[in-house]
Amino acid sequence: MICSVLKGRTKESALIAAAGWALTKGDEVWQFGKVHPDHRRRGLGTQLLRHTETQAASLKRPFTLNVRNEALNDGSMALFQREGYACAFIE
């Protein structure tokens, strides 16, 4: 898990971005992440996604990285497409 906060803020108002990843079963890795709306469009989501990819690659075996995004919007879709991801389904 990686988390970014603003220094000097209360815990509730400080969260800028957070991401985590977990190996589920077999060759699947699931990534969860978010960037606070006030701090989007600054490259934080890109850095979180790339950090997760690096962590998953450290497993040193084939894997499928699945990204779960609860705030799917035009910006996040553009991020994933720019980074080479394709949308498999939307619930």
Side-chain angles (χ1 to χ4, degrees), residues 46-63:
T46 300
Q47 292 303 314
L48 291 173
L49 182 59
R50 290 178 182 172
H51 173 77
T52 302
E53 291 171 335
T54 299
Q55 294 299 309
S58 73
L59 297 171
K60 302 204 185 296
R61 61 183 169 152
F63 64 89

Side-chain angles (χ1 to χ4, degrees), residues 16-34:
I16 295 174
W21 69 279
L23 182 63
T24 53
K25 53 179 148 171
D27 62 353
E28 290 188 354
V29 177
W30 285 85
Q31 188 265 351
F32 305 88
K34 64 181 179 177

Side-chain angles (χ1 to χ4, degrees), residues 1-81:
M1 171 69 106
I2 186 171
C3 188
S4 298
V5 296
L6 288 172
K7 191 174 182 178
R9 297 276 183 100
T10 63
K11 197 175 202 179
E12 293 77 25
S13 67
L15 183 62
I16 295 174
W21 69 279
L23 182 63
T24 53
K25 53 179 148 171
D27 62 353
E28 290 188 354
V29 177
W30 285 85
Q31 188 265 351
F32 305 88
K34 64 181 179 177
V35 175
H36 190 282
D38 292 344
H39 301 281
R40 292 182 181 154
R41 311 248 354 121
R42 301 179 188 182
L44 295 171
T46 300
Q47 292 303 314
L48 291 173
L49 182 59
R50 290 178 182 172
H51 173 77
T52 302
E53 291 171 335
T54 299
Q55 294 299 309
S58 73
L59 297 171
K60 302 204 185 296
R61 61 183 169 152
F63 64 89
T64 299
L65 181 61
N66 299 287
V67 179
R68 181 172 179 169
N69 184 332
E70 294 181 12
L72 191 59
N73 56 39
D74 291 341
S76 60
M77 287 294 286
L79 163 67
F80 298 130
Q81 289 175 348

